[in-house]
Amino acid sequence: MKNKIHILGMGPGSSDYYTAKSIGIIKDSDLIIGSARIIGSLDTAGKSVFIYDGDFEALSRCVNDNSDKKIAVCVSGDTGFYSLAGVIERHFPGQSVFVPGISSFSYFFAAMGMTYEDYYMASVHGRETDICGSLLTYKKIFLLLDGFRGLESAVSILKEREEFSGVNLHIGYNLSYPDEKLISIPLKEFNPYGLEVKGSYVMAVEL
């Protein structure tokens, strides 16, 4: 009989935001799967470990080869927001147990002292997103960005449209880490050059 695969949302980055529920499941698991960053922050003594580097076929083989073990897959952010969790569930239907974590947008808006009930959430991280169309439709959008290049591209797209000249940007860099940066600035005043090229970015835009 195949064991359940526990997929754990590990929050925005810092281990300060790991949930007690997820830590408890990790302690009870035989095999821990996750990125090098997440695995490096955990106590994995006495457990098998698989470092996930984007090769889903290798991850799938690892899960199949250890189907008799208690497996915990650690994913960044929350399991329900542009997460690896959905891919795993599609490949192993009925085996997954989702354990939610703190999402990037939840952390970001809290850090900014803002609420997000009227924001449209989208990702341009490895996918096509109509940023302008979304902003015109929803007036407020939150974007998961593909690093600095994603930020640079999104800002460039917005600056090409005259109707967006008055929008405000709220930008988060390396959320929850010691070098975290939070910026609020009008689009017309913002120049992305000089910001860190390495690291992760998110952005909220208000029309």
Side-chain angles (χ1 to χ4, degrees), residues 18-52:
Y18 295 171
T19 67
K21 177 72 171 180
S22 290
I23 293 300
I25 291 171
I26 288 168
K27 288 180 178 179
D28 190 47
S29 296
D30 305 308
L31 170 64
I32 312 300
I33 298 173
S35 68
R37 174 185 63 78
I38 293 176
I39 294 296
S41 69
L42 299 173
D43 179 5
T44 58
K47 301 180 184 301
S48 299
V49 168
F50 177 85
I51 302 295
Y52 176 64

mmCIF file of all heavy atoms in Angstrom, residues 18-52:
data_model
loop_
_atom_site.group_PDB
_atom_site.id
_atom_site.type_symbol
_atom_site.label_atom_id
_atom_site.label_comp_id
_atom_site.label_asym_id
_atom_site.label_seq_id
_atom_site.Cartn_x
_atom_site.Cartn_y
_atom_site.Cartn_z
ATOM 1 N N TYR A 18 8.188 28.746 9.249
ATOM 2 C CA TYR A 18 7.743 27.367 9.133
ATOM 3 C C TYR A 18 6.670 27.128 10.192
ATOM 4 O O TYR A 18 6.792 27.589 11.328
ATOM 5 C CB TYR A 18 8.892 26.387 9.377
ATOM 6 C CG TYR A 18 10.006 26.423 8.365
ATOM 7 C CD1 TYR A 18 11.182 25.707 8.578
ATOM 8 C CD2 TYR A 18 9.903 27.164 7.178
ATOM 9 C CE1 TYR A 18 12.205 25.722 7.654
ATOM 10 C CE2 TYR A 18 10.925 27.191 6.257
ATOM 11 C CZ TYR A 18 12.085 26.468 6.496
ATOM 12 O OH TYR A 18 13.104 26.484 5.581
ATOM 13 N N THR A 19 5.629 26.395 9.836
ATOM 14 C CA THR A 19 4.563 26.141 10.805
ATOM 15 C C THR A 19 4.903 24.946 11.687
ATOM 16 O O THR A 19 5.637 24.031 11.286
ATOM 17 C CB THR A 19 3.222 25.884 10.105
ATOM 18 O OG1 THR A 19 3.299 24.647 9.373
ATOM 19 C CG2 THR A 19 2.864 27.027 9.150
ATOM 20 N N ALA A 20 4.352 24.945 12.881
ATOM 21 C CA ALA A 20 4.559 23.829 13.798
ATOM 22 C C ALA A 20 4.023 22.529 13.206
ATOM 23 O O ALA A 20 4.602 21.453 13.404
ATOM 24 C CB ALA A 20 3.879 24.126 15.141
ATOM 25 N N LYS A 21 2.926 22.626 12.454
ATOM 26 C CA LYS A 21 2.346 21.443 11.818
ATOM 27 C C LYS A 21 3.338 20.816 10.843
ATOM 28 O O LYS A 21 3.566 19.603 10.854
ATOM 29 C CB LYS A 21 1.066 21.842 11.071
ATOM 30 C CG LYS A 21 0.396 20.721 10.305
ATOM 31 C CD LYS A 21 -0.269 19.724 11.228
ATOM 32 C CE LYS A 21 -1.114 18.728 10.449
ATOM 33 N NZ LYS A 21 -1.765 17.747 11.333
ATOM 34 N N SER A 22 3.962 21.636 10.001
ATOM 35 C CA SER A 22 4.918 21.120 9.029
ATOM 36 C C SER A 22 6.142 20.528 9.706
ATOM 37 O O SER A 22 6.637 19.462 9.306
ATOM 38 C CB SER A 22 5.338 22.230 8.056
ATOM 39 O OG SER A 22 4.275 22.569 7.194
ATOM 40 N N ILE A 23 6.657 21.192 10.716
ATOM 41 C CA ILE A 23 7.829 20.673 11.432
ATOM 42 C C ILE A 23 7.512 19.326 12.069
ATOM 43 O O ILE A 23 8.328 18.397 12.049
ATOM 44 C CB ILE A 23 8.304 21.681 12.500
ATOM 45 C CG1 ILE A 23 8.845 22.948 11.833
ATOM 46 C CG2 ILE A 23 9.375 21.049 13.392
ATOM 47 C CD1 ILE A 23 10.032 22.721 10.914
ATOM 48 N N GLY A 24 6.313 19.185 12.610
ATOM 49 C CA GLY A 24 5.913 17.913 13.200
ATOM 50 C C GLY A 24 5.871 16.796 12.173
ATOM 51 O O GLY A 24 6.298 15.663 12.455
ATOM 52 N N ILE A 25 5.359 17.076 10.987
ATOM 53 C CA ILE A 25 5.286 16.067 9.930
ATOM 54 C C ILE A 25 6.686 15.705 9.457
ATOM 55 O O ILE A 25 6.990 14.529 9.199
ATOM 56 C CB ILE A 25 4.423 16.574 8.758
ATOM 57 C CG1 ILE A 25 2.957 16.661 9.199
ATOM 58 C CG2 ILE A 25 4.562 15.673 7.536
ATOM 59 C CD1 ILE A 25 2.058 17.353 8.205
ATOM 60 N N ILE A 26 7.563 16.693 9.339
ATOM 61 C CA ILE A 26 8.948 16.423 8.934
ATOM 62 C C ILE A 26 9.623 15.486 9.937
ATOM 63 O O ILE A 26 10.315 14.538 9.555
ATOM 64 C CB ILE A 26 9.731 17.748 8.802
ATOM 65 C CG1 ILE A 26 9.254 18.506 7.563
ATOM 66 C CG2 ILE A 26 11.238 17.494 8.730
ATOM 67 C CD1 ILE A 26 9.735 19.932 7.481
ATOM 68 N N LYS A 27 9.414 15.728 11.220
ATOM 69 C CA LYS A 27 10.017 14.879 12.251
ATOM 70 C C LYS A 27 9.532 13.440 12.148
ATOM 71 O O LYS A 27 10.265 12.499 12.480
ATOM 72 C CB LYS A 27 9.694 15.443 13.640
ATOM 73 C CG LYS A 27 10.444 16.724 13.973
ATOM 74 C CD LYS A 27 10.062 17.229 15.366
ATOM 75 C CE LYS A 27 10.847 18.487 15.715
ATOM 76 N NZ LYS A 27 10.466 19.024 17.065
ATOM 77 N N ASP A 28 8.296 13.261 11.671
ATOM 78 C CA ASP A 28 7.686 11.930 11.605
ATOM 79 C C ASP A 28 7.925 11.243 10.258
ATOM 80 O O ASP A 28 7.500 10.111 10.064
ATOM 81 C CB ASP A 28 6.176 12.051 11.865
ATOM 82 C CG ASP A 28 5.512 10.709 12.063
ATOM 83 O OD1 ASP A 28 6.046 9.888 12.839
ATOM 84 O OD2 ASP A 28 4.468 10.452 11.422
ATOM 85 N N SER A 29 8.591 11.920 9.324
ATOM 86 C CA SER A 29 8.774 11.388 7.968
ATOM 87 C C SER A 29 10.088 10.626 7.826
ATOM 88 O O SER A 29 11.054 10.863 8.562
ATOM 89 C CB SER A 29 8.725 12.525 6.945
ATOM 90 O OG SER A 29 7.455 13.142 6.932
ATOM 91 N N ASP A 30 10.108 9.726 6.848
ATOM 92 C CA ASP A 30 11.328 8.961 6.541
ATOM 93 C C ASP A 30 12.157 9.626 5.454
ATOM 94 O O ASP A 30 13.386 9.570 5.474
ATOM 95 C CB ASP A 30 10.956 7.550 6.061
ATOM 96 C CG ASP A 30 10.079 6.802 7.049
ATOM 97 O OD1 ASP A 30 10.459 6.733 8.236
ATOM 98 O OD2 ASP A 30 9.017 6.299 6.635
ATOM 99 N N LEU A 31 11.459 10.245 4.491
ATOM 100 C CA LEU A 31 12.120 10.872 3.348
ATOM 101 C C LEU A 31 11.675 12.320 3.243
ATOM 102 O O LEU A 31 10.483 12.609 3.230
ATOM 103 C CB LEU A 31 11.756 10.125 2.054
ATOM 104 C CG LEU A 31 12.157 10.769 0.728
ATOM 105 C CD1 LEU A 31 13.672 10.876 0.600
ATOM 106 C CD2 LEU A 31 11.570 9.974 -0.451
ATOM 107 N N ILE A 32 12.652 13.239 3.154
ATOM 108 C CA ILE A 32 12.372 14.660 3.025
ATOM 109 C C ILE A 32 12.822 15.122 1.642
ATOM 110 O O ILE A 32 13.976 14.915 1.253
ATOM 111 C CB ILE A 32 13.113 15.497 4.089
ATOM 112 C CG1 ILE A 32 12.936 14.881 5.486
ATOM 113 C CG2 ILE A 32 12.612 16.941 4.059
ATOM 114 C CD1 ILE A 32 11.528 14.791 5.955
ATOM 115 N N ILE A 33 11.910 15.738 0.898
ATOM 116 C CA ILE A 33 12.198 16.252 -0.437
ATOM 117 C C ILE A 33 12.038 17.770 -0.418
ATOM 118 O O ILE A 33 11.067 18.288 0.127
ATOM 119 C CB ILE A 33 11.253 15.633 -1.488
ATOM 120 C CG1 ILE A 33 11.452 14.119 -1.557
ATOM 121 C CG2 ILE A 33 11.469 16.274 -2.864
ATOM 122 C CD1 ILE A 33 10.439 13.408 -2.438
ATOM 123 N N GLY A 34 12.991 18.475 -1.021
ATOM 124 C CA GLY A 34 12.875 19.929 -1.080
ATOM 125 C C GLY A 34 14.088 20.542 -1.732
ATOM 126 O O GLY A 34 15.057 19.851 -2.084
ATOM 127 N N SER A 35 14.050 21.851 -1.899
ATOM 128 C CA SER A 35 15.189 22.564 -2.482
ATOM 129 C C SER A 35 16.368 22.519 -1.520
ATOM 130 O O SER A 35 16.215 22.274 -0.318
ATOM 131 C CB SER A 35 14.803 24.020 -2.764
ATOM 132 O OG SER A 35 14.599 24.707 -1.536
ATOM 133 N N ALA A 36 17.557 22.794 -2.040
ATOM 134 C CA ALA A 36 18.747 22.809 -1.198
ATOM 135 C C ALA A 36 18.602 23.826 -0.076
ATOM 136 O O ALA A 36 19.041 23.587 1.055
ATOM 137 C CB ALA A 36 19.978 23.111 -2.059
ATOM 138 N N ARG A 37 17.969 24.964 -0.383
ATOM 139 C CA ARG A 37 17.786 26.004 0.630
ATOM 140 C C ARG A 37 16.935 25.512 1.785
ATOM 141 O O ARG A 37 17.288 25.683 2.958
ATOM 142 C CB ARG A 37 17.139 27.251 -0.003
ATOM 143 C CG ARG A 37 16.770 28.323 1.004
ATOM 144 C CD ARG A 37 16.030 29.485 0.347
ATOM 145 N NE ARG A 37 14.758 29.109 -0.236
ATOM 146 C CZ ARG A 37 13.642 28.921 0.462
ATOM 147 N NH1 ARG A 37 13.641 29.046 1.771
ATOM 148 N NH2 ARG A 37 12.513 28.607 -0.151
ATOM 149 N N ILE A 38 15.803 24.893 1.462
ATOM 150 C CA ILE A 38 14.909 24.423 2.515
ATOM 151 C C ILE A 38 15.528 23.263 3.276
ATOM 152 O O ILE A 38 15.527 23.238 4.512
ATOM 153 C CB ILE A 38 13.536 24.027 1.930
ATOM 154 C CG1 ILE A 38 12.802 25.261 1.402
ATOM 155 C CG2 ILE A 38 12.687 23.328 2.988
ATOM 156 C CD1 ILE A 38 11.478 24.956 0.719
ATOM 157 N N ILE A 39 16.071 22.286 2.551
ATOM 158 C CA ILE A 39 16.675 21.120 3.206
ATOM 159 C C ILE A 39 17.796 21.555 4.147
ATOM 160 O O ILE A 39 17.943 21.032 5.252
ATOM 161 C CB ILE A 39 17.209 20.124 2.160
ATOM 162 C CG1 ILE A 39 16.052 19.526 1.344
ATOM 163 C CG2 ILE A 39 18.024 19.026 2.827
ATOM 164 C CD1 ILE A 39 15.080 18.692 2.134
ATOM 165 N N GLY A 40 18.573 22.545 3.718
ATOM 166 C CA GLY A 40 19.684 23.015 4.536
ATOM 167 C C GLY A 40 19.260 23.660 5.834
ATOM 168 O O GLY A 40 20.074 23.798 6.764
ATOM 169 N N SER A 41 18.005 24.062 5.928
ATOM 170 C CA SER A 41 17.509 24.729 7.140
ATOM 171 C C SER A 41 16.841 23.753 8.108
ATOM 172 O O SER A 41 16.415 24.162 9.189
ATOM 173 C CB SER A 41 16.502 25.814 6.751
ATOM 174 O OG SER A 41 15.299 25.237 6.247
ATOM 175 N N LEU A 42 16.744 22.477 7.722
ATOM 176 C CA LEU A 42 16.016 21.492 8.521
ATOM 177 C C LEU A 42 16.957 20.524 9.233
ATOM 178 O O LEU A 42 18.084 20.290 8.783
ATOM 179 C CB LEU A 42 15.073 20.689 7.616
ATOM 180 C CG LEU A 42 13.985 21.461 6.869
ATOM 181 C CD1 LEU A 42 13.269 20.525 5.900
ATOM 182 C CD2 LEU A 42 12.993 22.078 7.849
ATOM 183 N N ASP A 43 16.474 19.939 10.306
ATOM 184 C CA ASP A 43 17.177 18.852 10.977
ATOM 185 C C ASP A 43 16.748 17.553 10.309
ATOM 186 O O ASP A 43 15.638 17.071 10.533
ATOM 187 C CB ASP A 43 16.832 18.835 12.467
ATOM 188 C CG ASP A 43 17.521 17.689 13.214
ATOM 189 O OD1 ASP A 43 18.331 16.974 12.588
ATOM 190 O OD2 ASP A 43 17.235 17.517 14.418
ATOM 191 N N THR A 44 17.613 17.012 9.475
ATOM 192 C CA THR A 44 17.278 15.798 8.724
ATOM 193 C C THR A 44 18.080 14.589 9.204
ATOM 194 O O THR A 44 18.179 13.583 8.493
ATOM 195 C CB THR A 44 17.529 16.007 7.219
ATOM 196 O OG1 THR A 44 18.903 16.377 7.012
ATOM 197 C CG2 THR A 44 16.624 17.106 6.664
ATOM 198 N N ALA A 45 18.647 14.668 10.393
ATOM 199 C CA ALA A 45 19.441 13.557 10.931
ATOM 200 C C ALA A 45 18.615 12.275 10.974
ATOM 201 O O ALA A 45 17.479 12.266 11.452
ATOM 202 C CB ALA A 45 19.939 13.910 12.334
ATOM 203 N N GLY A 46 19.179 11.196 10.441
ATOM 204 C CA GLY A 46 18.513 9.904 10.451
ATOM 205 C C GLY A 46 17.456 9.728 9.385
ATOM 206 O O GLY A 46 16.761 8.703 9.365
ATOM 207 N N LYS A 47 17.332 10.709 8.478
ATOM 208 C CA LYS A 47 16.319 10.636 7.434
ATOM 209 C C LYS A 47 16.968 10.609 6.047
ATOM 210 O O LYS A 47 18.086 11.103 5.866
ATOM 211 C CB LYS A 47 15.374 11.841 7.529
ATOM 212 C CG LYS A 47 14.651 11.942 8.871
ATOM 213 C CD LYS A 47 13.735 13.135 8.932
ATOM 214 C CE LYS A 47 13.097 13.273 10.309
ATOM 215 N NZ LYS A 47 12.305 12.081 10.695
ATOM 216 N N SER A 48 16.251 10.055 5.086
ATOM 217 C CA SER A 48 16.691 10.135 3.694
ATOM 218 C C SER A 48 16.307 11.503 3.146
ATOM 219 O O SER A 48 15.285 12.074 3.535
ATOM 220 C CB SER A 48 16.036 9.032 2.856
ATOM 221 O OG SER A 48 16.396 7.745 3.337
ATOM 222 N N VAL A 49 17.146 12.022 2.254
ATOM 223 C CA VAL A 49 16.926 13.361 1.710
ATOM 224 C C VAL A 49 17.067 13.329 0.196
ATOM 225 O O VAL A 49 17.960 12.658 -0.341
ATOM 226 C CB VAL A 49 17.961 14.352 2.302
ATOM 227 C CG1 VAL A 49 17.938 15.666 1.546
ATOM 228 C CG2 VAL A 49 17.670 14.597 3.775
ATOM 229 N N PHE A 50 16.171 14.050 -0.493
ATOM 230 C CA PHE A 50 16.286 14.237 -1.937
ATOM 231 C C PHE A 50 16.231 15.731 -2.216
ATOM 232 O O PHE A 50 15.254 16.395 -1.856
ATOM 233 C CB PHE A 50 15.154 13.523 -2.678
ATOM 234 C CG PHE A 50 15.173 13.746 -4.174
ATOM 235 C CD1 PHE A 50 15.954 12.949 -4.996
ATOM 236 C CD2 PHE A 50 14.407 14.761 -4.749
ATOM 237 C CE1 PHE A 50 15.976 13.160 -6.370
ATOM 238 C CE2 PHE A 50 14.433 14.977 -6.114
ATOM 239 C CZ PHE A 50 15.218 14.166 -6.935
ATOM 240 N N ILE A 51 17.283 16.242 -2.846
ATOM 241 C CA ILE A 51 17.337 17.660 -3.193
ATOM 242 C C ILE A 51 16.650 17.866 -4.546
ATOM 243 O O ILE A 51 17.095 17.315 -5.559
ATOM 244 C CB ILE A 51 18.782 18.176 -3.277
ATOM 245 C CG1 ILE A 51 19.511 17.940 -1.948
ATOM 246 C CG2 ILE A 51 18.799 19.657 -3.653
ATOM 247 C CD1 ILE A 51 18.977 18.713 -0.788
ATOM 248 N N TYR A 52 15.587 18.652 -4.554
ATOM 249 C CA TYR A 52 14.858 18.922 -5.801
ATOM 250 C C TYR A 52 15.437 20.161 -6.475
ATOM 251 O O TYR A 52 15.452 21.252 -5.898
ATOM 252 C CB TYR A 52 13.375 19.134 -5.516
ATOM 253 C CG TYR A 52 12.575 19.504 -6.741
ATOM 254 C CD1 TYR A 52 12.447 18.603 -7.798
ATOM 255 C CD2 TYR A 52 11.963 20.747 -6.850
ATOM 256 C CE1 TYR A 52 11.724 18.932 -8.927
ATOM 257 C CE2 TYR A 52 11.229 21.085 -7.974
ATOM 258 C CZ TYR A 52 11.120 20.175 -9.013
ATOM 259 O OH TYR A 52 10.401 20.510 -10.147
#
